Amino acid sequence: MERNRIKFEFLVHDLKVPLAVIEAGILSLLQKQDKYGELNDKQIKILERALRNTIVTRTLVNDALELGRSSQGIMNKSTFTPAQLVEQTLIEVLDLTDHSTADAIKECKALADLKTCLAEHGLFLEIDETFWARDLYLDESKVKQIFRNLLINALKYKKNRVLLKIARGEGCLFITVGDDGEGIPSGYHKKIFECYFQMDMKTDHCVRGHGLGLAGVQVLLEDMGGELFLESDTGKGATFSVKIPW
Ligand SMILES: Nc1ncnc2c1ncn2[C@@H]1O[C@H](COP(=O)(O)OP(=O)(O)OP(=O)(O)O)[C@@H](O)[C@H]1O
Ligand SMILES: [Mg+2]
């Protein structure tokens, strides 16, 4: 690896320790009020917001390291289920924007409950009951990072609805994330995967992002031997489907 790249990755890596200390500190204040003093509602709100943002930063640091690892061709396969993938990613993403839905998801015991709960919030989950708890053997953090980025985009650009579909193909996993937003004209279907490229959107999205998410998704997918399909046009929403071999 090039020297400057190593220095950069090392710096990102070293952010993990102070971040963990900050996170643990905030958690202690929130969870051990008998030891550190009682908090009022305003203080709790501020600490919870600080905690959520620490978690965002931790996720970003891990993502950056994962991209570096991926470009070295390193795979880290483990066993996980579609249920874990979907629930954990949804909670992680919604915890930042929609606390109450994230909490409601945590309460869901069965797949049917989860589907109902999500549908009430405009999220429609399609997955076969028999596939839900099946073991997958893939690089979990890469798959999660892909799913998370597509989900964040869909939530950012949707009008009312987001469709999530997880399915099993011949020797592969399919993840589909669709929304009913402005859509992407066909002339931009390649460009949106370039680093820092963002379309000029009329709608003002409070979090603008950096135009890096899809470029990262593409890199991770290539490293796993996967493929991405995009179906979208102006005014027709966008549906991103990824196919990951196992
Ligand atoms: N679901 C979608 N609907 C409409 N446009 C989209 C959608 N997903 C991505 N795009 C367009 O593709 C661009 C690139 O997406 P990408 O995820 O790489 O970056 P970003 O979301 O703008 O920022 P980042 O992911 O770095 O936070 C977006 O800025 C947007 O213009
Ligand atoms: Mg994005």
Side-chain angles (χ1 to χ4, degrees), residues 60 149-158 177-185 188 191-201 205 207-217 230 232 237-240:
L60 292 174
N149 272 287
L150 296 178
L151 179 62
I152 291 173
N153 282 350
L155 290 168
K156 188 156 63 169
Y157 297 109
K158 73 168 170 89
V177 181
D179 67 70
D180 62 349
E182 286 274 305
I184 304 155
Y188 286 112
K191 280 207 101 48
I192 55 166
F193 293 96
E194 288 172 13
C195 281
Y196 310 113
F197 179 83
Q198 297 184 298
M199 284 191 316
D200 192 22
M201 303 292 282
H205 299 287
V207 186
R208 279 294 293 152
H210 296 92
L212 281 174
L214 288 177
V217 164
L230 167 61
S232 182
T239 300
F240 290 83

